[in-house]
Structures are given as C-alpha cells and as structure tokens.
Amino acid sequence: AWDGRWEGYIAGWRAPQKLVAHTDCVITLALGPNETVYSGGEDKTVRVWSAIDGTHLRTLEGHTAMVVALAVGGDGTVYSGSMNPEGSIRVWSSTDGTSLGTLEGHPDACVWVLAIAADGTLFSGSSDSTIRVWFDGEHVRTLRGHTHYVTALAVGTHGKL
C-alpha cells in the first residue's frame, strides 16, 4: 500500500519508506507493471518510482496544471489528467517516459479521474459531468447523466464500469 502526502512525498507501507521528489502536494497515485508506482501532484509532474527500493526512476513533465488523475495500462502505457481546463489526457511511455501524445475529448473541462479495464479500455471523468470511453487512443463513447463533476470511477474485473 502507498499513500500520497500533503507535504509532497509518498509513503510505502510494505517496506516503510518516504519517497521525496515532488515539490508540492501529491494528489494521485497509480500502480504500474514491473513493480512501479506513479505519483502526480500540484507541481504539475508525474513521478515514477521503484516499488521495490523506492528509487526515483524518472519525471514526466508537460502538464500546465496540477496532475489529479493517473491510470496505467497492462502494457505499461501511462495516462494522466490535470486541472488544466483544456480537457486533454496525456499519454506516456512507461519504458522511457516519452510523451506519446494526448487524447482530446473533454473540451473546456478538467479531467478529474481515470480508470482502465484489463482490455485497455480507458474511462475518463471530468468537470463537464461526463465519462468518456477510449479504446486504442480513440474516443468511442460518451456517458451522460451526471449533474456535477465526475470525480471517482471503478472498473470491475469483467471490464464494466
């Protein structure tokens, strides 16, 4: 288990350790393949850590607002959303941290939450009160009906939201 701290670090509970690299509050965490932990925060970065020894592996930069949402696919692709009202989702390579582009679909809205199914289907919730469904980098569906921001999502093992 890992938790993000207001003081700008994450703490591990399996082997208690304090991982420091963020310069401000840690907002979101995600577990990745190969024993990695991803953290996003107010400093507008995504940090990648070894869950084994706590080594800071790399920093993913490019957001212009605090990072509030993370999801990591089974293939290691990293998705991040921020408070930037452009409504885009950044896509990163977990291998070397390079940017693979952005997914555009929540115009004039902040992406608050991301979740990913075992088959790679990505779900994004935002301040536009919608959930967008993505597959292979393409927007395939918009779910409407919420009356306020979508701030939490969970995907079951069967792949359903």
Side-chain angles (χ1 to χ4, degrees):
W2 297 87
D3 72 71
R5 300 294 175 93
W6 184 257
E7 297 88 354
Y9 66 90
I10 65 175
W13 296 99
R14 178 173 52 164
Q17 51 193 310
K18 183 177 177 179
L19 310 182
V20 180
H22 285 280
T23 59
D24 212 329
C25 181
V26 175
I27 304 291
T28 184
L29 297 171
L31 297 176
N34 304 317
E35 301 282 336
T36 53
V37 178
Y38 293 79
S39 59
E42 280 192 44
D43 63 2
K44 306 173 190 171
T45 67
V46 175
R47 308 281 177 154
V48 187
W49 310 87
S50 165
I52 296 169
D53 62 11
T55 303
H56 177 232
L57 302 174
R58 70 184 57 88
T59 301
L60 310 180
E61 297 180 293
H63 282 284
T64 58
M66 76 170 88
V67 178
V68 295
L70 286 171
V72 183
D75 65 353
T77 302
V78 180
Y79 302 90
S80 58
S82 76
M83 291 289 294
N84 187 333
E86 68 190 22
S88 63
I89 300 162
R90 291 192 172 269
V91 185
W92 311 88
S93 165
S94 65
T95 307
D96 59 9
T98 58
S99 175
L100 301 176
T102 58
L103 304 177
E104 307 289 340
H106 291 281
D108 302 317
C110 301
V111 175
W112 279 99
V113 63
L114 297 167
I116 194 159
D119 70 354
T121 301
L122 178 70
F123 300 88
S124 58
S126 84
S127 61
D128 66 3
S129 305
T130 67
I131 299 169
R132 307 281 171 148
V133 183
W134 310 83
F135 191 76
D136 283 339
E138 298 293 325
H139 174 231
V140 296
R141 188 169 179 196
T142 301
L143 307 176
R144 300 181 191 284
H146 289 275
T147 58
H148 202 59
Y149 298 177
V150 178
T151 60
L153 293 171
V155 179
T157 55
H158 48 70
K160 294 185 180 176
L161 192 60

